[in-house]
Amino acid sequence: MAEHTPVPRVALEHTRGDRTPLDSVLTEHAHAAQEPTLADLLETMRVVSIPMNTQFRGVTVREAALFEAPNGWVEFSPFLEYEPLEASTWLASALDAGWLPQPQPLRHSIPVNATLPAVGPAEVPLVMERYGDLTNLHTVKVKVAGKNTTLEADIARLQALRSFAGDEVRIRIDVNGLWSLPDALDALAILEPFDLEYVEQPVRTVEELAELREQLAVRKIAIPIAADESIRKSDDPLRVAALGAADLIIVKAQPLGGAHRILSIVESTGLPTVVSSALDTAVGIAFGARVAAALPHLDHACGLGTGALFAGDVVGETSDDSVQALPGHVRDFRTVPGWPVPSPKKLARFEAAADRRAWWASRVTSCFDLLSRKPPQ
């Protein structure tokens, strides 16, 4: 195990409700590189538009802005519907990754789960086969409770996965907070025979998570609860631990502002942690892997295998290796990846149209302006 270098902490005030100004983010550490200007970002910005193999959280084409920084290429890809206030945290993550010294890895192998979108039972084998050699497949996250699905359809999807992958594969489900508390209790009682590893964000609020956790214990339903949106979309991500609302937390590098803030949250909550993708390109996935490598403990597979959902990516030179270019992206990072260098051919192949680049340039400008503002004295 690598020797752990103390990680400089970024204050937890960098949340949706109280933003850390840019000068604080970038000068928290005296040895940080010179902070970038807006012109620096826009000068190297490349915008890509990558089709998805399967629709995921309503996305059929993934757009992302990439910048070349002193540490290497970094990513800024908040979902298109996010307003500047929320999206600015994603830009803070890019600045953290590209211009700050990063925490040292504590491990060089990271287990990674496969992800199964809300598809019909007949499509389950096709999606799973995109993950390559399935003999080592050990964990699958399954999307449930979407707009176009029912509990019966979710059960059919889980049954198809069990039939295809076998009983030894761990299954976790992601609800994205779409169940009511009564619906969650009923659904988890029905789904208990699937021996779920955990259920991710089954209900919307932290208070509901805490109540659900208590009710599951009363009913002796042994399904752990993981908090996702209650961490990354909360003004106070530490309330999850304070209210005893979850057994573990899900963290995503971009939405939470980068490695240093994530490590502060993990330390403060004291809860087991899973690092997951925000549907990143290979550049963002590599950053997530580095965050996972720096966690004090890593007891669960991480959700960094979403590259298999893309029809291509920004690394690799041929049409066949765009996803496989991520080291062990399906199950294990055999070595913690460095900063991947996007392929010029792939950047050209997936280059977004001029109007989309202009849209992203305006978005970067708005978010940079928000991060640069000092709070009132």
Side-chain angles (χ1 to χ4, degrees):
M1 179 176 291
E3 181 179 353
H4 181 42
T5 300
V7 177
R9 294 186 58 181
V10 169
L12 288 179
E13 67 267 20
H14 185 65
T15 63
R16 295 178 65 206
D18 186 8
R19 300 287 172 178
T20 299
L22 180 63
D23 58 352
S24 176
V25 171
L26 295 179
T27 62
E28 180 79 17
H29 320 300
H31 55 302
Q34 182 178 358
E35 65 185 69
T37 65
L38 176 60
D40 292 332
L41 295 178
L42 296 180
E43 181 180 2
T44 66
M45 185 180 74
R46 301 292 299 269
V47 179
V48 294
S49 179
I50 304 175
M52 305 289 293
N53 283 319
T54 304
Q55 179 174 296
F56 190 77
R57 74 174 302 281
V59 177
T60 57
V61 176
R62 186 70 168 113
E63 290 188 349
L66 307 174
F67 313 109
E68 191 170 10
N71 289 344
W73 285 84
V74 295
E75 178 170 342
F76 170 63
S77 56
F79 295 106
L80 302 185
E81 68 272 18
Y82 287 5
E83 296 295 329
L85 183 61
E86 184 169 4
S88 63
T89 304
W90 298 55
L91 185 59
S93 174
L95 300 176
D96 181 300
W99 279 267
L100 288 182
Q102 293 299 294
Q104 294 297 309
L106 301 180
R107 62 190 57 82
H108 297 281
S109 178
I110 300 170
V112 176
N113 65 262
T115 299
L116 179 62
V119 298
E123 297 178 76
V124 169
L126 176 62
V127 174
M128 289 293 96
E129 285 165 1
R130 292 190 186 125
Y131 287 88
D133 180 8
L134 298 178
T135 58
N136 295 319
L137 182 67
H138 53 67
T139 308
V140 181
K141 180 171 87 168
V142 182
K143 286 286 186 178
V144 301
K147 292 181 180 179
N148 299 317
T149 190
T150 63
L151 181 59
E152 291 73 21
D154 294 335
I155 292 170
R157 186 179 315 112
L158 291 167
Q159 289 172 334
L161 176 60
R162 272 282 178 238
S163 297
F164 178 80
D167 293 335
E168 298 303 314
V169 170
R170 301 186 192 106
I171 295 178
R172 53 182 68 161
I173 60 173
D174 186 4
V175 185
N176 292 118
L178 295 175
W179 283 336
S180 68
L181 182 57
D183 286 346
L185 286 166
D186 291 343
L188 292 175
I190 294 170
L191 297 177
E192 186 178 21
F194 285 100
D195 191 24
L196 300 177
E197 183 184 29
Y198 60 73
V199 54
E200 184 174 327
Q201 198 69 41
V203 289
R204 187 174 62 86
T205 69
V206 177
E207 291 78 11
E208 288 174 320
L209 286 177
E211 177 65 20
L212 176 61
R213 192 162 176 256
E214 289 182 9
Q215 290 297 320
L216 290 176
V218 168
R219 300 185 186 197
K220 298 185 178 352
I221 298 174
I223 301 177
I225 291 177
D228 176 11
E229 284 86 349
S230 290
I231 296 292
R232 63 182 169 88
K233 286 181 172 286
S234 173
D235 291 339
D236 182 6
L238 305 186
R239 289 189 72 240
V240 166
L243 296 184
D247 299 281
L248 64 156
I249 61 173
I250 311 296
V251 298
K252 299 178 180 179
Q254 286 201 75
L256 284 171
H260 297 104
R261 182 168 184 258
I262 284 175
L263 291 176
S264 287
I265 291 172
V266 171
E267 179 182 352
S268 297
T269 63
L271 291 173
T273 303
V274 172
V275 179
S276 194
S277 161
L279 209 59
D280 311 89
T281 74
V283 173
I285 290 289
F287 184 43
R290 294 187 67 86
V291 172
L295 290 177
H297 305 284
L298 187 63
D299 301 322
H300 298 81
C302 288
L304 299 171
T306 52
L309 302 175
F310 288 20
D313 215 320
V314 295
V315 298
E317 293 299 331
T318 73
S319 60
D320 297 328
D321 66 2
S322 58
V323 175
Q324 297 299 336
L326 291 178
H329 78 284
V330 178
R331 290 165 290 276
D332 295 292
F333 284 90
R334 299 302 178 184
T335 59
V336 175
W339 303 106
V341 178
S343 156
K345 291 182 180 179
K346 292 299 181 69
L347 289 175
R349 175 185 172 190
F350 296 114
E351 185 174 14
D355 63 325
R356 296 308 301 160
R357 189 186 190 285
W359 186 88
W360 278 92
S362 176
R363 192 181 207 193
V364 169
T365 301
S366 297
C367 292
F368 191 90
D369 180 58
L370 280 173
L371 290 175
S372 298
R373 294 177 190 171
K374 293 185 178 181
Q377 300 298 319

